[in-house]
């Protein structure tokens, strides 16, 4: 008898699955080409920010007469007078009000949510699953329906218009998503680590502070960025609950638009200053942010 021999095609290994056209195309375009494309996309994404910076450093007359891209041929038009005028107004106070609102609202949400997420993930107590379902259900509650009841409560407690009231509102509505996010991350921590810590006599608080919290840094950093950006850029809560003396930057810039209409020099410089802090925060914690977004996608 004659035995037929099957020869694998040249360039492939015997028994290896043949890749389709899409797979071969990805292999050929992978590496440097993909990185170049991503860099170009990133630069394209930064074009509006560059335009905002240029507009904020030119006078209103120049901005009304020509586009911001003409700055490459007329660099002498740049000036810092807009920022000097802005910092000499009420913007400085609104900037610090924004810091006083955003930092406590972010820190409190991270701290409370991390402890609650650990309890939901690794502590056994009666009603745990039902309580977690309630937390998940709160994710669908829109902020708008709570404005009037909370405003009445703040009025009765003499907290309406204060920075404390704005912070508490952001904390209350930031906790459901924060607990949900961190709980799902903490569940993925190997149980052997926690069991080893308990065998060494560690308490639940010690396990949380020494094992779970350090391992949860990627998710915590991602949560911190999301919460910080949400509170920093919020205007609805500030319009309702913050008085003029306690107003953050978003409400201050909105009031400038209402008073002066097309005051582009003030609005653009204020918008760029409000943009700087979130950009610095994002790039500072970019590594943790990417790790937190990718957590759980690869086993």
């Amino acid at each position: 008898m004659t035995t037929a021999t099957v020869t694998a095609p040249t360039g492939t290994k015997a028994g290896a699955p043949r890749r389709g056209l899409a797979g071969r195309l990805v292999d050929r375009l992978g590496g440097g080409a993909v990185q170049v494309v991503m860099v170009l996309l990133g630069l394209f994404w930064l074009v509006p920010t560059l335009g905002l910076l240029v507009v904020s450093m030119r006078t209103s007359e120049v901005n009304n007469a020509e586009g911001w891209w003409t700055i490459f041929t007329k660099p002498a038009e740049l000036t810092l007078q807009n920022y000097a005028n802005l910092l000499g107004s009420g913007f400085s106070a609104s900037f610090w009000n924004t810091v006083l609102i955003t930092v406590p609202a972010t820190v409190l949400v991270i701290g409370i949510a991390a402890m609650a997420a650990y309890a939901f993930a690794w502590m056994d107590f009666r009603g745990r699953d039902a309580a977690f379902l309630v937390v998940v259900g709160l994710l669908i509650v829109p902020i708008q329906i709570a404005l009037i009841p909370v405003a009445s409560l703040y009025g009765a407690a003499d907290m309406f218009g204060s920075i404390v009231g704005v912070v508490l509102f952001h904390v209350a509505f930031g906790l459901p998503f924060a607990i949900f996010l961190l709980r799902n991350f903490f569940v993925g921590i190997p149980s052997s680590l926690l069991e080893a810590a308990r065998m060494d006599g560690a308490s639940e608080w010690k396990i949380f502070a020494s094992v779970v919290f350090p391992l949860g840094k990627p998710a915590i950093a991602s949560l911190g960025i999301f919460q910080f950006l949400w509170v920093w850029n919020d205007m609805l809560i500030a319009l309702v609950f913050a008085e003029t003396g306690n107003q953050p930057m978003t409400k201050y810039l909105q009031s400038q638009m209402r008073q002066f209409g097309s005051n582009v020099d003030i609005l653009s410089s204020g918008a760029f200053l409000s943009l700087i802090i979130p950009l610095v925060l994002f790039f500072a914690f970019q590594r943790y942010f990417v790790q937190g977004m990718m957590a759980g996608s690869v086993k």
Side-chain angles (χ1 to χ4, degrees):
M1 295 180 60
T2 303
T3 303
T5 303
V6 179
T7 305
T10 305
T12 62
K13 295 182 179 180
R18 297 183 61 184
R19 305 195 63 184
L21 177 61
R24 295 195 299 269
L25 185 61
V26 169
D27 290 340
R28 293 182 180 181
L29 296 180
V34 173
Q35 294 179 3
V36 170
V37 172
M38 297 302 295
V39 170
L40 292 177
L41 289 176
L43 293 176
F44 182 76
W45 178 76
L46 290 175
V47 168
T49 305
L50 176 62
L52 179 65
L53 174 62
V54 173
V55 171
S56 68
M57 298 180 66
R58 299 198 307 182
T59 62
S60 298
E61 293 77 11
V62 175
N63 286 324
N64 293 331
E66 53 192 31
W68 66 267
W69 50 87
T70 59
I71 196 63
F72 296 106
T73 59
K74 301 176 182 179
E77 294 176 348
L78 295 178
T79 177
L80 295 177
Q81 188 59 41
N82 293 340
Y83 289 94
N85 297 336
L86 181 67
L87 295 177
S89 61
F91 181 83
S92 299
S94 66
F95 176 85
W96 290 113
N97 288 336
T98 304
V99 174
L100 292 176
I101 292 173
T102 306
V103 174
T106 303
V107 173
L108 287 174
V109 165
I110 291 176
I112 298 174
M115 291 185 287
Y118 171 74
F120 283 125
W122 293 108
M123 295 180 66
D124 189 13
F125 56 91
R126 175 177 291 183
R128 183 186 66 175
D129 295 338
F132 184 68
L133 288 177
V134 172
V135 172
V136 174
L138 291 175
L139 289 172
I140 65 175
V141 177
I143 294 177
Q144 290 79 3
I145 68 172
L147 295 179
I148 295 178
V150 174
S152 302
L153 178 63
Y154 281 178
D158 197 21
M159 293 174 54
F160 191 88
S162 64
I163 291 179
V164 175
V166 179
V167 171
L168 291 179
F169 193 97
H170 282 299
V171 171
F173 277 86
L175 281 175
F177 173 75
I179 295 173
F180 176 77
L181 177 68
L182 294 183
R183 184 263 180 189
N184 291 342
F185 185 89
F186 290 167
V187 167
I189 297 177
S191 60
S192 58
L193 296 177
L194 281 68
E195 294 173 358
R198 290 191 178 96
M199 292 180 63
D200 291 338
S203 61
E204 295 294 339
W205 171 253
K206 183 68 174 179
I207 295 173
F208 168 75
S210 301
V211 179
V212 176
F213 196 85
L215 292 176
K217 283 183 179 180
I220 293 172
S222 300
L223 171 63
I225 292 175
F226 282 126
Q227 178 69 12
F228 186 93
L229 293 179
W230 177 44
V231 179
W232 184 273
N233 296 321
D234 173 75
M235 187 172 67
L236 175 62
I237 310 306
L239 286 174
V240 176
F241 295 107
E243 293 181 346
T244 302
N246 298 323
Q247 64 182 359
M249 290 184 297
T250 52
K251 185 176 180 179
Y252 175 81
L253 294 176
Q254 187 270 344
S255 66
Q256 296 300 306
M257 183 180 296
R258 184 176 64 250
Q259 293 177 8
F260 301 107
S262 59
N263 200 0
V264 179
D265 52 345
I266 297 295
L267 295 176
S268 59
S269 55
F272 188 79
L273 286 179
S274 66
L275 179 67
I276 289 297
I277 302 300
L279 281 178
V280 172
L281 178 71
F282 177 79
F283 286 114
F285 294 94
Q286 181 182 11
R287 178 168 60 92
Y288 293 110
F289 179 75
V290 174
Q291 292 177 2
M293 294 297 293
M294 295 298 293
S297 62
V298 180
K299 293 294 183 180

